[in-house]
Amino acid sequence: LPKSYAFIAFMPQWDFLNFIAEKAKCFPHFSVLMGANVTELLRDGPRVLGVRAESHEGTLEVRAPLTVAADGRHSTVREFTGLSLRDLGAPIDVLWFRVPCGDKKIEPVLAHVGAGRILVSFDRGDYYQCAYVIAKGAAEAVKARGIEAFRADVRAIVPELGEQLRALQSFDDVKLLTVMVNRLEEWSAPGVLCIGDAAHAMSPVGGVGINLAIQDAVASSNLLAEPLRRNRVTEDDLKRVQARRALPTLITQALQVQAHERVLGPALTRSDQDFGAPLIFRLATHSRSMRSLLGRVIGIGVRSEHVRTSEAGLIEG
């Protein structure tokens, strides 16, 4: 039976991908190709038979009974399928940057909020991964004010960062994440299935995009293992994946849209110096029950998934 834990563990995505690749080596037919970019779908009429890609070794073709598009919010595979995408909109963008940790760690809160500014920080041990929330399309205006003004804005809401912000030498050290919230009307076409951000791009609110992507993958494994063994995956098989994962996607995106409209949007438009964190942030920081509820929503989600195929035992430990 799945074990239950009373905490959430955070792992940087690159470490997680390396972890998965290492564990997958237990399977004799597993292989991974780095630096291979899909350039075309291989088709037999409307059915996708695989992909053509460019790699360091040249052009290659990969044929399979099922092609899974797990290539993110700007999915190349999804674009080639022509599947219809519904945009829910987002009033924010995010500027990502790293700041070295000082002698004294900053307070671990859900978000630092003040005077029309919002900063979310993640303690990575020797540095903080920071997300500075801005209004949609405001990145160029922020850059026009200069890096010193940007450092001052961050310092105004998190004074403890102080001189550590000098690590931001220029806007080359600051990366723009264009926030989008969207989802496919249909996640699949004959021979191809979209999961994760390729099927439903999430806002960074809650940091749950990767969680839903992994849950999509687990559900896909559970539902498609037997059809794949038979080397025949039908459109009905693929639709069962969407039927399983559609509700968590809809609920999570609805919560994120509400957070944009009722919390982040109003917070960014307030410029008075006495403006404090919204009530939901204060409750999440100081209420144990709210922290538990948020932890469950973020860590487990609306519908939990557990690997139920016979191969699960090969990757334990």
Side-chain angles (χ1 to χ4, degrees):
L1 293 176
K3 296 179 181 178
S4 178
Y5 298 95
F7 59 87
I8 298 173
F10 287 90
M11 179 185 291
Q13 187 166 327
W14 51 90
D15 289 338
F16 176 74
L17 293 175
N18 289 336
F19 168 81
I20 289 294
E22 186 64 30
K23 291 295 183 180
K25 291 178 181 178
C26 296
F27 297 93
H29 300 296
F30 170 80
S31 64
V32 59
L33 300 174
M34 304 299 292
N37 298 307
V38 173
T39 58
E40 185 182 350
L41 297 183
L42 304 176
R43 295 180 180 272
D44 179 10
R47 186 170 190 83
V48 174
L49 302 180
V51 300
R52 181 173 290 113
E54 293 295 332
S55 71
H56 300 304
E57 288 74 34
T59 302
L60 58 91
E61 291 187 356
V62 180
R63 294 177 178 267
L66 176 64
T67 299
V68 178
D71 50 342
R73 60 181 55 201
H74 301 292
S75 170
T76 301
V77 175
R78 181 189 67 203
E79 181 180 352
F80 288 151
T81 65
L83 292 169
S84 177
L85 191 65
R86 180 185 177 189
D87 186 6
L88 303 182
I92 63 169
D93 286 328
V94 172
L95 297 174
W96 284 99
F97 57 93
R98 295 183 180 187
V99 177
C101 292
D103 296 333
K104 185 178 179 181
K105 292 292 186 78
I106 63 177
E107 185 179 358
V109 298
L110 181 64
H112 309 271
V113 183
R117 303 182 182 99
I118 301 174
L119 179 80
V120 180
S121 60
F122 303 94
D123 189 340
R124 300 300 195 199
D126 58 350
Y127 70 91
Y128 299 111
Q129 183 75 54
C130 297
Y132 186 81
V133 183
I134 60 174
K136 172 67 71 176
E140 291 306 315
V142 172
K143 292 181 180 180
R145 295 177 59 230
I147 193 65
E148 182 54 46
F150 179 69
R151 290 197 297 252
D153 286 345
V154 175
R155 192 180 297 112
I157 51 175
V158 193
E160 297 87 348
L161 289 178
E163 292 303 309
Q164 295 143 248
L165 289 168
R166 296 246 171 232
L168 302 178
Q169 295 294 309
S170 71
F171 278 102
D172 290 339
D173 301 317
V174 181
K175 307 303 179 185
L176 172 65
L177 170 63
T178 301
V179 175
M180 57 181 68
V181 182
N182 58 43
R183 61 177 177 263
L184 288 173
E185 301 289 350
E186 298 288 341
W187 293 19
S188 61
V192 63
L193 172 69
C194 297
I195 62 173
D197 276 1
H200 45 70
M202 296 290 177
S203 161
V205 169
V208 295
I210 184 65
N211 298 28
L212 269 77
I214 294 169
Q215 290 165 349
D216 287 354
V218 173
S220 300
S221 171
N222 291 338
L223 292 167
L224 301 178
E226 286 304 320
L228 285 169
R229 285 192 182 97
R230 299 193 301 268
N231 202 36
R232 176 63 178 170
V233 182
T234 68
E235 292 181 58
D236 286 342
D237 292 327
L238 300 182
K239 289 182 184 300
R240 277 194 281 272
V241 175
Q242 181 176 351
R244 170 76 185 177
R245 297 301 307 158
L247 182 62
T249 299
L250 291 172
I251 293 176
T252 304
Q253 289 186 329
L255 291 173
Q256 290 185 328
V257 169
Q258 287 297 305
H260 290 165
E261 295 178 352
R262 298 181 180 272
V263 180
L264 298 181
L268 288 175
T269 60
R270 295 288 296 271
S271 59
D272 50 297
Q273 295 298 319
D274 293 331
F275 173 67
L279 176 61
I280 186 64
F281 284 169
R282 298 197 300 272
L283 287 174
T285 299
H286 300 293
S287 167
R288 177 176 295 180
S289 59
M290 279 296 295
R291 288 199 302 270
S292 296
L293 176 60
L294 280 174
R296 183 172 183 83
V297 171
I298 292 172
I300 299 176
V302 175
R303 173 177 285 162
S304 62
E305 302 287 354
H306 302 280
V307 176
R308 303 192 187 282
T309 54
S310 59
E311 288 82 358
L314 291 177
I315 59 174
E316 289 181 355

